[in-house]
Amino acid sequence: MFNETKEKVNNSILKAKYISLTTDGWTNYNNVSFFAITGHFINEDGYLQTLLLKCSEFALNHTAVNIAEWIQNIMEEYDIKNKVVAVVTDNATNMKAAINILKLTHIPCFAHSLNIIVQTSLKTSIKRIIDEVKSIVQHFKKSATATQKLMQMQKNLKYPVLKLKQDVPTRWNSTYDMLERFVLNKKPLLSCLAILNIKTNLTDRDWETINKALEILKLFKLATEDVSAEKSVTLSKMGVLCRILLDRMLKIEINGSVEIEISELVNSLIKGIREKYAPYFSNELVQKSILLDPRHKKHGFFDDKLKFRETYDLVLNELKRLLARQNELTTEQTETLPQTTEQSNPLWGDYDAKKRLNVPTTNSTAAAINELGGYLKDQDLGIKEDSLIWWQKNKHAYPNLYEIILRIMCIPATSVPCERIFSKAGNILTDRRNRLTP
């Protein structure tokens, strides 16, 4: 089964024109270290395809050199070094250094960056409240009596029977999930705390602060879920979401907040977005993907006319290079065509040879302007629609732009595909199967 699947993966990879990679590390139940790498490309039918290339034990030290060598060996195994356009990893220094050693383009994982921004902002703003909530949740998690009392109270008050959730720092959005579930159970919880004589330092103002924090954190949760898809284009979405989140936080800041903690949370989030997402705002691949996504185009740059113009020029120059190369190939093919009957004829030979050398070539600049201009004037796609389906339908109208999107739109915004591989592995290697070797 493994060999058959490996052959299918090889055949699919062979057909791909451009490939992006995601890679990450994981330590299993037995404290054995693993690394995984996934490949992403747009297949012949115009759909985004994700394939696991490797998930193996990584016994060496996690140095940049060792990681780079491991990735290099996999690229050689599949013969894809010249096809790889970018590698998506988390923000770990060794990962970024490994990609630099390989001289490949590095894209930081959007979800990982988002998690760091949120966690840092929570620590500098509403940490006291979160710690108090954690303490209460922990008590209910440890006490069977408290848990039973909460379930009974939920039924008595006709609330849905929902367990409390504990915050896990490494799990994205887990603080939001904990606070949301806590607020949903506010009435049963307060009743239980009173009956069980458990003291809490949470005031009415703190509950209000939690509600307002949830409204803000929900935006970041939705953004993480949006860019974690594997079947749709996410790189362009990531670039637009950076601007949306910053825009929304700035509006909240302008409107002001009575609670000082919420004001501190918003200010910290604004600072984090500006710092962490600077690489996305300046990344050419991200900006090109926004322009060439029919859901966004010019609108994806908001009011930044300069960035739109820069990106327009980048795409236009790439188009010109593609068209110029096509002209060169046309000329070369014309010059190497086999001799015709007329050419071998002493009367018509010279005339026919000159005629064939004067095959008209396309003006690459004019053709590039026409193709890009036509695409931008075309009707925009709805935000919930699939941009790859649109490109599949319109690839003959904009053939050179389609060549560019094959290279750019295969890049995922996150390294979530690797995270999912490890989740699957974790379901296999459980405490009841802890003797399974790598």
Side-chain angles (χ1 to χ4, degrees):
M1 191 185 287
F2 172 80
N3 290 332
E4 285 174 7
T5 308
K6 181 86 182 286
E7 190 178 349
K8 286 179 185 176
V9 170
N10 268 320
N11 291 337
S12 297
I13 291 288
L14 268 173
K15 295 172 187 173
K17 290 188 81 171
Y18 306 102
I19 297 169
S20 64
L21 305 173
T22 74
T23 184
D24 202 359
W26 172 68
T27 303
N28 76 4
Y29 187 88
N30 291 328
N31 211 28
V32 177
S33 180
F34 285 81
F35 262 67
I37 191 162
T38 59
H40 310 261
F41 56 93
I42 297 169
N43 64 20
E44 292 170 308
D45 299 320
Y47 293 106
L48 204 54
Q49 193 166 351
T50 297
L51 294 171
L52 173 66
L53 304 184
K54 196 89 166 179
C55 181
S56 61
E57 183 183 4
F58 198 91
L60 302 170
N61 289 330
H62 294 186
T63 63
V65 173
N66 288 339
I67 294 168
E69 189 177 342
W70 183 79
I71 295 171
Q72 178 69 31
N73 290 338
I74 292 164
M75 290 194 295
E76 287 174 3
E77 181 183 342
Y78 287 96
D79 193 21
I80 57 172
K81 180 67 193 281
N82 296 327
K83 293 182 178 184
V84 175
V85 291
V87 184
V88 183
T89 76
D90 60 23
N91 292 283
T93 309
N94 58 344
M95 287 299 219
K96 290 192 279 188
I99 307 309
N100 288 334
I101 289 169
L102 294 167
K103 294 184 170 63
L104 295 170
T105 301
H106 177 257
I107 304 282
C109 171
F110 182 83
H112 187 258
S113 299
L114 212 57
N115 187 52
I116 291 171
I117 291 168
V118 171
Q119 291 295 333
T120 305
S121 300
L122 291 172
K123 284 175 186 173
T124 58
S125 56
I126 59 171
K127 185 178 183 298
R128 176 189 64 80
I129 296 172
I130 289 173
D131 286 346
E132 185 65 26
V133 171
K134 274 184 179 180
S135 174
I136 294 168
V137 172
Q138 189 68 12
H139 177 80
F140 279 88
K141 288 285 182 187
K142 285 186 173 181
S143 170
T145 305
T147 302
Q148 282 299 114
K149 183 63 73 177
L150 178 61
M151 285 174 64
Q152 185 185 333
M153 194 59 69
Q154 286 168 336
K155 288 173 183 175
N156 292 344
L157 295 170
K158 293 184 169 51
Y159 271 65
V161 177
L162 299 169
K163 290 181 181 178
L164 297 179
K165 291 183 177 180
Q166 185 58 282
D167 176 32
V168 182
T170 54
R171 189 172 295 157
W172 302 331
N173 300 313
S174 65
T175 305
Y176 173 87
D177 293 335
M178 177 184 75
L179 293 176
E180 184 190 41
R181 183 61 60 87
F182 195 77
V183 168
L184 281 172
N185 281 291
K186 181 181 176 182
K187 198 171 179 181
L189 262 172
L190 290 175
S191 300
C192 274
L193 292 172
I195 292 167
L196 297 168
N197 200 26
I198 299 168
K199 289 184 179 179
T200 172
N201 295 319
L202 286 177
T203 63
D204 289 342
R205 188 171 170 276
D206 290 339
W207 282 96
E208 187 60 34
T209 300
I210 292 171
N211 278 317
K212 289 190 176 176
L214 280 171
E215 288 175 23
I216 293 164
L217 295 176
K218 187 170 185 178
L219 299 172
F220 289 82
K221 177 184 170 71
L222 291 171
T224 305
E225 290 171 351
D226 240 5
V227 296
S228 297
E230 284 185 46
K231 300 293 183 185
S232 60
V233 173
T234 53
L235 190 69
S236 55
K237 200 182 278 187
M238 173 182 75
V240 175
L241 281 171
C242 288
R243 290 177 168 90
I244 288 174
L245 289 171
L246 183 58
D247 192 50
R248 292 294 294 271
M249 292 305 107
L250 288 169
K251 281 179 182 174
I252 294 170
E253 183 191 39
I254 291 166
N255 293 334
S257 174
V258 178
E259 292 85 0
I260 190 167
E261 293 97 336
I262 296 299
S263 181
E264 287 171 350
L265 175 62
V266 171
N267 288 332
S268 184
L269 288 168
I270 290 169
K271 184 185 174 188
I273 292 168
R274 282 178 170 154
E275 286 176 2
K276 285 284 179 189
Y277 291 143
Y280 301 119
F281 288 130
S282 59
N283 189 293
E284 289 183 5
L285 288 172
V286 176
Q287 301 312 313
K288 283 180 185 178
S289 71
I290 294 171
L291 185 67
L292 296 178
D293 191 325
R295 297 173 297 182
H296 307 304
K297 295 183 184 176
K298 190 175 181 178
H299 307 292
F301 295 88
F302 290 63
D303 298 324
D304 196 342
K305 293 178 182 177
L306 180 62
K307 183 58 73 177
F308 166 74
R309 191 69 221 183
E310 283 176 6
T311 309
Y312 176 90
D313 290 340
L314 284 169
V315 174
L316 189 66
N317 289 332
E318 190 167 348
L319 268 179
K320 283 195 258 186
R321 286 193 296 272
L322 275 171
L323 287 159
R325 180 61 186 147
Q326 285 174 20
N327 284 340
E328 286 172 17
L329 288 171
T330 303
T331 306
E332 287 170 12
Q333 287 165 2
T334 304
E335 289 173 352
T336 56
L337 281 173
Q339 202 176 53
T340 64
T341 308
E342 287 81 2
Q343 277 180 294
S344 60
N345 186 306
L347 178 61
W348 289 99
D350 287 347
Y351 171 80
D352 189 62
K354 286 176 183 176
K355 185 182 76 171
R356 282 150 57 88
L357 287 172
N358 283 321
V359 173
T361 55
T362 309
N363 182 316
S364 56
T365 301
I369 291 170
N370 286 338
E371 187 168 336
L372 185 53
Y375 159 73
L376 290 172
K377 285 175 187 173
D378 215 330
Q379 189 174 359
D380 290 359
L381 202 61
I383 201 69
K384 297 226 182 228
E385 293 185 68
D386 193 321
S387 52
L388 283 180
I389 291 175
W390 186 93
W391 272 111
Q392 191 63 14
K393 289 176 182 174
N394 292 275
K395 65 181 179 182
H396 298 299
Y398 312 111
N400 300 293
L401 284 174
Y402 185 70
E403 182 69 20
I404 297 173
I405 72 108
L406 285 176
R407 190 169 61 83
I408 294 172
M409 290 192 174
C410 66
I411 305 170
T414 71
S415 55
V416 167
C418 267
E419 298 282 345
R420 289 186 176 129
I421 293 298
F422 297 139
S423 294
K424 289 171 186 175
N427 290 335
I428 296 166
L429 191 77
T430 63
D431 55 348
R432 287 178 176 270
R433 293 173 174 163
N434 62 17
R435 291 186 184 180
L436 282 173
T437 63

